[in-house]
């Protein structure tokens, strides 16, 4: 076989063949100013254009059409999965119309846009949300029914898009939903991981096992591959300085970033934003020379290493890893996103100084911080903008949100690693740093400690780059995610920077959650009851959540309370059914449902909960059967994943499962206390758990949980909150009244001192907290399986007790006592539950995204007609 190779084209991205601006068309106008039709006969084109399927019969036609064409199947061989796929494709067709119009409107009107850079988006399922936001859920239900399927069964066939670990990624997903719903021009940028967060399996001994999550195994109906949107991304190589602060970066490895777009439909509007995910591809399929020389392995090596970049999501939450591949992911994603943003900006034909008027780039946590030196590189090296002007542009374009104060989550990258992988960026970081520390010296002459504290480079072996500091100095504004957290930032991590820049640079935007998914979709019964009670259309309160306050006047009404209780009971039964079909156990739905679901982490203190359960178990065992009958039966649910390398967190899972095994089997107590660990927690499992809780637990050591967002979801669904005075719990308490929350534990200002005492003046646990000591001793003694297994976990509490379990245990037990008492008076309880839901208006992600839009990004809504 012979072929002619154009050597000039090797390694070059192929030119796009069609004439468009990628996000819509720029129409030409004739002399009179009238828009010209780009080509062909306008009327023929227009006749061919598709319109939305809004009635049942066009919806069914579209579904059948997809069965026949896209899937090449027939009614004879169509299972639920196929029916789901065809239906999802038909919903996608509808969304696409709005998506196209939205992108066209953005291109034409050229508003300032915001770009939300987040390395994780925990989207969950899309189909249900799509038909809800399109306002076509009823029509789809009926159409599917006519075709002989059931909507809920089809919804169940969709796999979660689990491109995130926990709160950070789910928040990003809620914000996209709200940006479309509030008609704000926002795009998300992230990575298209081939494998999302691992699937969690539980071994018979209670150990967590991890399996890959090949979520793209089947067709993904909701993404649009954009093979025509590609950028070349460089790694390694050499950077040679030239003049005027510039350099030439060459050599190394080049890979391609290919775009996949995910449509984000707004609720009750045509506005449909975009989430652009990058996939890595080798620049050349494989090395032809090695292939011809018979070295096939070598030939595919380059291709494998390029594809590895976007193959897996790192399964760590609130911890950093320092691995080269992770740094590669971060650079690959930020470089591709910036190239895309800059290309779009350049098509406007404005000077670079205008970039901040057209683009606000949100750095969500430190993961995209490399965007700062990358934009400097583009402006200085490629566009020849003078350094100082470039820095002015950069510091007016970026915004930075910090999501944690945990030291183990604050990213630092080793200088030698950066130097190897991104030599030009390290030079730029050093240059930024020099100018910065010189200005610090000017403001605080001779304060060398301060210079060392504020430098972007941390001394040590090796030296490290402090990414949070780079994000702070390279951004226009910085914020935390709840009042307490933002205040902690200002007084700890950012203290020196507040003194340098002034307080106005450091704000707060309390997190929020989308009420579409987290109330209407997951709790249709409650949503219907609210609509019927408020006597306004659902679309009104779902977009203006403060309207829930209208429920307050019914909080005491016994008839309303009864309806409220029926909804909760139905949700509990729905959850029990799920548990029965997945775990094969029957659950007492008359008992109080108590839920703690979140990533397994020592600071979140699932330990406090399981130790509390053991304590309760011993107490139940110690009383007479008669006395037991007077207690409040409780079913406790846990769910959550542990990072695969997080040994202590995995031991906690094992302990929970083995404690559950003993307690659930004890004939004396099993009517009064049951414990379940639901494996493989996900957005979809949360959608079942959240509406079913009577209480939920958010019990982190004070000052450690930046915000928490599941607390908001549970409260929005009328579940009461047991919590520490931490993160967003505090603001929830302020909104709904402390009398409706079960708060306990030490407050943030006490924590530092307590830790000091633990280190320098330790008191034995037997003395400090006898009840907890008893629990730990029983675990050691083998009450819940081989005691030795748990020693490393128990020792974290016995020695040092960094997360202060010994300090908070007694008040935790007391708080749960109050919960039991309160639950006995159902009418009062229901009033609390209704009040809680009614006062959750503040915690809508619509409010949060509007805060960002107005106070940070300066972008405005643009309604797509
Ligand atoms: C998490 C915090 C949560 C917070 C979410 C969303 C990280 C780094 N941070 O408390 O731990 O709710 O971010 O802001 O994942």
């Amino acid at each position: 076989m012979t072929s002619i190779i154009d050597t000039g084209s090797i390694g070059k991205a192929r030119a796009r063949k069609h004439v468009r601006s990628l996000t819509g068309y720029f129409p030409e106008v004739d002399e009179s100013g009238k828009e010209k039709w780009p080509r062909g006969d306008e009327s023929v084109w227009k006749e061919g254009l598709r319109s939305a399927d809004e009635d049942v019969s066009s919806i069914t036609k579209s579904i059948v059409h997809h069965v026949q064409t896209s899937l090449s199947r027939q009614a004879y061989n169509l299972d639920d999965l196929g029916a789901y796929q065809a239906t999802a494709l038909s919903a996608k067709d509808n969304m696409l119309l709005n998506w196209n119009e939205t992108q066209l409107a953005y291109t034409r009107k050229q508003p300032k846009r915001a770009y939300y850079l987040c390395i994780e988006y925990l989207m969950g399922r899309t189909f249900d949300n799509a038909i809800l936001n399109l306002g076509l859920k009823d029509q789809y239900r009926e159409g599917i029914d006519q075709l002989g399927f059931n909507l809920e069964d089809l919804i169940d066939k969709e796999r979660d898009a689990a491109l995130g670990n926990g709160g950070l990624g789910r928040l990003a997903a809620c914000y996209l939903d709200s940006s479309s719903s509030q008609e704000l021009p926002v795009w998300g940028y992230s990575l298209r991981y081939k494998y999302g967060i691992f699937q969690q399996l539980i071994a018979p001994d209670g150990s967590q096992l991890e399996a890959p999550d090949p979520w793209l195994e089947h067709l993904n109906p909701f993404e649009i591959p954009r093979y025509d949107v590609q950028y070349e991304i460089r790694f390694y190589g050499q950077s040679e300085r030239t003049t005027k602060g510039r350099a030439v970066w060459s050599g190394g490895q080049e890979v391609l970033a290919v775009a996949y777009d995910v449509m984000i439909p707004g609720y009750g509007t045509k506005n449909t934003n975009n989430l652009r995910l990058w996939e890595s591809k080798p620049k050349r399929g494989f090395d032809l020379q090695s292939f011809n020389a018979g070295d096939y392995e070598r030939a595919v090596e380059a291709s494998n290493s390029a594809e590895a970049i976007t193959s897996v999501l790192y399964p760590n939450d609130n911890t950093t890893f320092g691995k080269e591949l992770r740094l590669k992911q971060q650079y690959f994603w930020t470089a591709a996103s910036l190239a895309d943003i800059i290309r779009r900006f350049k098509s406007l034909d404005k000077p670079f100084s205008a970039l901040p008027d057209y683009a606000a780039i949100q750095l969500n946590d430190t993961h995209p911080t490399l965007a700062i030196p990358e934009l400097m590189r583009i402006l200085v090296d490629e566009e020849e903008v003078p350094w100082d002007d470039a820095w002015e542009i950069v510091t007016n374009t970026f915004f930075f949100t910090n999501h944690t104060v945990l030291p183990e989550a604050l990213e630092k990258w080793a200088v030698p690693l950066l130097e190897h992988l991104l030599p030009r960026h390290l030079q730029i970081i050093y240059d930024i740093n020099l100018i910065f520390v010189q200005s610090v010296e000017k403001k605080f002459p001779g304060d060398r400690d301060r210079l060392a504290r504020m430098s972007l480079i941390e001394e040590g072996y090796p030296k490290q780059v402090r990414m949070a500091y780079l994000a702070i100095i390279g951004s226009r504004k910085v914020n935390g995610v709840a009042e307490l957290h933002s205040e902690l930032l200002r007084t700890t991590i950012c203290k020196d920077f507040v003194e340098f820049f002034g307080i106005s640079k450091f704000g707060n935007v309390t997190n929020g959650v989308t009420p579409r998914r987290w109330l209407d979709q997951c709790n249709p019964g409650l949503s219907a009851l609210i609509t019927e009670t408020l006597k306004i259309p659902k679309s009104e309160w779902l977009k203006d959540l403060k309207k829930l306050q209208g429920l307050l006047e019914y909080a005491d009404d016994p008839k309303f309370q009864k309806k409220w209780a029926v909804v909760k009971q139905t949700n509990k039964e729905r959850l029990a059914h799920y548990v029965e079909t997945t775990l094969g156990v029957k659950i007492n739905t008359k008992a109080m449902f108590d839920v703690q679901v979140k990533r397994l982490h020592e600071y979140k203190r699932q330990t406090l909960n399981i130790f509390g359960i053991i304590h309760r178990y011993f107490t139940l065992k110690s009383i007479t059967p008669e006395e037991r009958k007077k207690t409040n039966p409780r079913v406790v649910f846990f769910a959550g994943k542990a990072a695969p390398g997080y040994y202590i967190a995995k031991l906690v899972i094992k302990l929970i499962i083995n404690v559950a095994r003993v307690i659930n089997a004890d004939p004396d107590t099993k009517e009064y206390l049951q414990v379940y660990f639901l494996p493989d927690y996900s957005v979809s499992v949360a959608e079942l758990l959240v509406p079913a809780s009577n209480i939920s637990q958010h019990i982190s050591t004070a000052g450690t949980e930046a915000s928490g967002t599941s607390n908001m979801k549970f409260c929005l669904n009328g579940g009461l909150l047991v919590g520490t005075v931490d993160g967003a719990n505090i603001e929830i308490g302020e909104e709904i009244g402390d009398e409706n929350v079960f708060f306990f534990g030490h407050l943030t200002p006490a924590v530092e001192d307590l830790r000091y005492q633990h280190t320098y003046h330790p008191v034995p646990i037997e003395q400090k907290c006898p009840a907890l000591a008893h629990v730990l001793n029983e675990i050691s003694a083998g009450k819940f399986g081989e005691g030795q297994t748990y020693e490393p976990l128990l020792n974290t509490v016995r020695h040092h007790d960094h997360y202060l379990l010994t300090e908070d245990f007694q008040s935790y037990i007391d708080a749960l006592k109050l919960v039991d008492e309160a639950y006995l008076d159902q009418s009062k309880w229901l009033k609390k539950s209704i009040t809680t839901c009614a006062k959750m208006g503040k915690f809508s992600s619509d409010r949060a995204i509007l805060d960002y839009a107005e106070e940070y990004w300066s972008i405005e809504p643009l309604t797509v007609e």
Side-chain angles (χ1 to χ4, degrees), residues 167-168 171 317-318 365 403-404 481 511 603-604 705-709:
L168 182 91
L171 182 78
D317 178 89
N318 262 306
D365 223 60
H403 290 263
T404 180
V481 290
N511 284 342
Y603 87 84
K604 292 177 186 283
E705 187 71 276
S707 161
T709 42

Side-chain angles (χ1 to χ4, degrees), residues 387-402:
W387 179 278
D388 291 347
D389 297 351
W391 185 244
E392 178 75 14
I393 295 166
V394 163
T395 52
N396 280 301
T397 301
F398 289 110
F399 295 84
F400 169 51
T401 303
N402 165 289

Side-chain angles (χ1 to χ4, degrees), residues 754 756-770 797-801 806-807:
L754 288 168
Y756 166 84
Q757 295 295 341
H758 283 202
T759 309
Y760 297 103
H761 308 285
V763 176
I765 183 171
E766 276 74 14
Q767 240 168 288
K768 175 155 276 209
C769 187
V797 184
R798 289 191 185 119
H799 309 303
H800 198 66
D801 189 20
T806 53
E807 299 291 342

Side-chain angles (χ1 to χ4, degrees), residues 602-645:
E602 283 165 282
Y603 87 84
K604 292 177 186 283
R605 299 202 296 193
Q606 282 91 351
T607 38
L608 199 55
N609 192 347
I610 192 67
F611 294 155
I613 288 168
I614 296 172
H615 175 80
R616 191 182 182 92
Y617 173 60
F618 290 153
T619 312
L620 281 171
K621 288 288 275 184
S622 69
I623 59 179
T624 63
E626 287 315 305
E627 282 170 320
R628 268 181 221 140
K629 285 197 184 124
K630 289 185 219 138
T631 61
N632 175 30
R634 209 165 118 213
V635 180
V636 189
F637 296 94
F638 288 91
K641 294 177 182 177

